[in-house]
Amino acid sequence: MTVDLKLRSSRIVTPNGIISGCLRIRSGKIAQLTEGLTDDREYSDCEVLELGDDLVVPGFVDLHVHGGGGHDVMNGADSVIGLAEFLAQQGTTSFFATTDTVAKEQMLASIRGIAAAVEAQQEGEGAEILGIHLEGPFLNVRQKGAFLPETLLDCSWEVMQELEEACGGYLRRVTIAPEIEGALDLIRALSSRGFLVSGGHTAASYEATMAGIRAGISVVTHMYNAMQGLHHRNPGAVGAYLTSGDVVCEIIGDLFHVHPAAIQLVLQSKGLDHVYMISDAIVAAGLSPGVYDFAGRQITVDERGLSTLSDGTIAGSTFFMKHAFKNLIDALGVSIENAVKLTAEVPAKVAGVFDRKGSLEPGKDADITVLGPDYQVKLCLTNGRVHYGA
């Protein structure tokens, strides 16, 4: 249940900079944003949250998340709803539910569960599920990552139709390796129908990657990871994505998957409007070190939070968007305003929801994250409903 609120802070991040002022929330929307500490008599009909110098930012938008807090998007509608609530405690206010690549029948059943969760989710009931991201099954076995090789499939329009039907109208994004047989035709068909098509889990050369971009790839699935790296005589997929101006690169922000200098290279090459951060969080995110299951494989999470298979392959992440936000500022020296751009504004634009999410402006959804010392989440609003940080 949402209530009318006023949030007052000396540090509210707006599209025009950081201000000292007040946010008025009414009926789940941002009704008013004023600079200066407004007289409380103007807000006598609502609850006032005095936030001091806590940082008030747009809620984080995560376009690549598999799970967290023991919840997995592959485990049915209740688990997806549980994940949505858990993500809100971490400051994430909307997300793409991202599938694992598993056996086809299991994948279809899991996708139906995600679709059921989207239909069942009540407004403000945790982070909003913006839709479904299929990370596979049309991936290259040579860059399978943590996925089992027998679950990867050749590109097939018939299989794609089965998957889309199971999504119940909530499919938003598909990751495809552009070099595998039939991929370019499938990329063209999906992009022409308005779906986001990502290049990822690929062994494609520079030339094959460029062919995929011409066919309709507009986003990179976890830039650098599970793809051919940059070499001065063989620029590979990374070289193609760095030099293709319209392609948007997503980056896992845990600093295990990508070195800060490599993140900086993408930012300098692409510009702030063509980069955004993701968590790639899995079921073990937010839990203690130990042994867990992910995509049919056993993973081990160490004391640092690094998740690996037995052979040392990194398997997803145990970090959240709040960590990516902090890492951008502390490790890369990115300004608070630009960190907001990379964790809220750009992903909201990529997802096609910037008209209602991704910035603190009147008329938009009251998706708001409040950060205390060391950028820890103190509370989070999803459509005006308050969740306290975990």
Side-chain angles (χ1 to χ4, degrees), residues 12 24 43 66 73 78 90 92 225 247-248 257 313 381:
I12 300 174
R24 173 72 181 272
Y43 300 92
H66 299 273
V73 303
D78 288 345
Q90 313 300 322
T92 295
N225 300 116
V247 176
V248 184
H257 283 79
T313 300
L381 276 66

Side-chain angles (χ1 to χ4, degrees), residues 108 110-119 131-132 134 160-172 195:
L108 289 168
S110 296
I111 291 168
R112 294 186 187 102
I114 300 171
V118 178
E119 293 180 351
I132 298 171
L134 301 179
M160 187 65 244
Q161 286 180 308
E162 284 187 84
L163 295 169
E164 184 181 351
E165 183 179 348
C167 289
Y170 300 112
L171 178 62
R172 298 292 179 265
F195 296 113

Side-chain angles (χ1 to χ4, degrees), residues 100-240:
D100 312 335
T101 294
V102 293
K104 189 181 80 169
E105 292 306 317
Q106 181 186 351
M107 193 169 185
L108 289 168
S110 296
I111 291 168
R112 294 186 187 102
I114 300 171
V118 178
E119 293 180 351
Q121 188 178 38
Q122 301 297 309
E123 189 173 274
E125 187 180 30
E128 181 179 340
I129 310 162
L130 297 175
I132 298 171
H133 166 204
L134 301 179
E135 191 175 9
F138 310 122
L139 312 176
N140 193 317
V141 69
R142 290 164 55 195
Q143 291 284 4
K144 64 184 184 303
F147 300 135
L148 289 166
E150 60 267 25
T151 64
L152 306 183
L153 302 177
D154 293 333
C155 280
S156 159
W157 184 244
E158 290 72 27
V159 172
M160 187 65 244
Q161 286 180 308
E162 284 187 84
L163 295 169
E164 184 181 351
E165 183 179 348
C167 289
Y170 300 112
L171 178 62
R172 298 292 179 265
R173 175 181 174 188
V174 184
T175 291
I176 298 175
E179 74 279 13
I180 64 177
E181 187 173 356
L184 295 181
D185 288 339
L186 188 56
I187 292 167
R188 290 188 193 98
L190 289 169
S191 61
S192 70
R193 295 177 55 209
F195 296 113
L196 280 173
V197 182
S198 302
H201 287 274
T202 171
S205 64
Y206 172 86
E207 292 76 15
T209 304
M210 291 302 298
I213 292 169
R214 289 190 293 271
I217 286 174
S218 60
V219 179
V220 185
T221 294
H222 42 54
M223 178 69 168
Y224 293 115
N225 300 116
M227 65 182 64
Q228 184 178 334
L230 180 68
H231 184 276
H232 57 287
R233 285 190 296 273
N234 183 16
V238 167

Side-chain angles (χ1 to χ4, degrees), residues 348-361:
K349 289 177 177 177
V350 170
V353 296
F354 188 62
D355 60 324
R356 61 190 183 91
K357 298 183 185 294
S359 65
L360 300 182
E361 298 178 82

Side-chain angles (χ1 to χ4, degrees), residues 231-255:
H231 184 276
H232 57 287
R233 285 190 296 273
N234 183 16
V238 167
Y241 292 134
L242 283 176
T243 55
S244 296
D246 292 336
V247 176
V248 184
C249 296
E250 71 174 27
I251 300 177
I252 303 171
D254 62 3
L255 302 187

